[in-house]
Amino acid sequence: MLKVLLASRNAGKLREFSDLLPSFPLVPWPADAPELPETGAFFQDNALQKAEGARAWWHLHGTEPVDGVLADDSGLCVDALWGGPGVLSARFAQDLPSYPERNRRLLAMLSEGADRAARFVCVLAFAPMPGRGHGGPFTVSGAVEGTLAFEHRGENGFGYDPIFIPEGFDQTFGELPSGTKHSLSHRARACAALRARLAANPQ
Ligand code: IMP
């Protein structure tokens, strides 16, 4: 069983990883640890930057041994916004205090009749601690296609979930039970790829 440091303070992500990776005891990123920079242009850059930054910090300051560090860089990519907010999803509309307001602003950016196609993307980077096997750092990814709702609907999940309707459903991720999200989400698909990659290269 791998003990993994999760390089994120996002409570929504932490909750989801605990459900999606039940066999990996997760150590949360400590409240007094530094913010991890994410200055890349692509999800892959940012995921690797966070995993390697967290691994270097933990190597010096970690309070318990872990086998590796897991970082998630994810976001909502909207076709009518040329893929935005994309890698900037966490920074979109930061002048507004909450997601219901940010979601309304995002929806207001689409003109009437605009293409509402969108997808959630998740890139996971795994960086093994030195001497713990699994080769060097690597990334895996997952995505889920869908469309944007016309209004913020539902309170489940986090972030942009209440405005995203996954393909094949009429409800948003904010309305669907978490089990449904976990059966098809970008993060669930990336976690499946992570488990497969670790199983194929255990040492
Ligand atoms: P980052 O990966 O920390 O840069 O932030 C990702 C941002 O994308 C989050 O803060 C959310 O706004 C959004 N996001 C990523 N995954 C999800 C999801 O599963 N549901 C809703 N919003 C998400």
Side-chain angles (χ1 to χ4, degrees):
M1 200 180 327
L2 285 182
K3 194 173 187 184
V4 172
L5 172 67
L6 181 63
S8 174
R9 279 203 194 92
N10 183 314
K13 288 185 185 179
L14 179 58
R15 243 188 346 262
E16 293 202 354
F17 281 118
S18 305
D19 290 344
L20 292 168
L21 298 172
S23 59
F24 293 12
L26 291 176
V27 177
W29 190 234
D32 60 348
E35 271 308 311
L36 293 164
E38 41 179 301
T39 55
F42 300 100
F43 292 113
Q44 273 80 359
D45 297 335
N46 285 339
L48 280 170
Q49 190 180 18
K50 288 189 272 192
E52 288 174 348
R55 181 175 64 172
W57 189 86
W58 197 258
H59 192 57
L60 295 176
H61 307 284
T63 48
E64 57 188 296
V66 295
D67 298 299
V69 180
L70 180 65
D72 165 310
D73 202 63
S74 47
L76 178 67
C77 303
V78 179
D79 285 2
L81 302 177
W82 300 97
V87 286
L88 301 178
S89 290
R91 285 165 270 176
F92 173 74
Q94 280 295 306
D95 56 311
L96 297 174
S98 69
Y99 266 97
E101 286 149 298
R102 291 178 203 145
N103 284 341
R104 282 183 199 106
R105 178 177 292 172
L106 194 146
L107 294 180
M109 291 171 74
L110 269 68
S111 51
E112 212 180 317
D115 179 1
R116 304 190 78 80
R119 69 204 49 77
F120 269 126
V121 174
C122 173
V123 175
L124 298 179
F126 184 80
M129 293 308 277
R132 297 283 172 151
H134 302 290
F138 64 87
T139 61
V140 290
S141 58
V144 56
E145 298 290 330
T147 54
L148 289 186
F150 285 88
E151 62 202 355
H152 181 103
R153 286 179 5 211
E155 299 307 325
N156 294 339
F158 67 100
Y160 301 100
D161 281 338
I163 58 169
F164 182 81
I165 303 171
E167 216 167 62
F169 292 82
D170 297 322
Q171 292 168 295
T172 67
F173 270 158
E175 296 171 311
L176 290 165
S178 61
T180 305
K181 181 177 179 190
H182 292 345
S183 68
L184 53 88
S185 79
H186 50 317
R187 191 159 293 108
R189 288 171 177 166
C191 282
L194 175 70
R195 281 192 302 267
R197 173 77 180 249
L198 289 172
N201 184 16
Q203 287 305 320

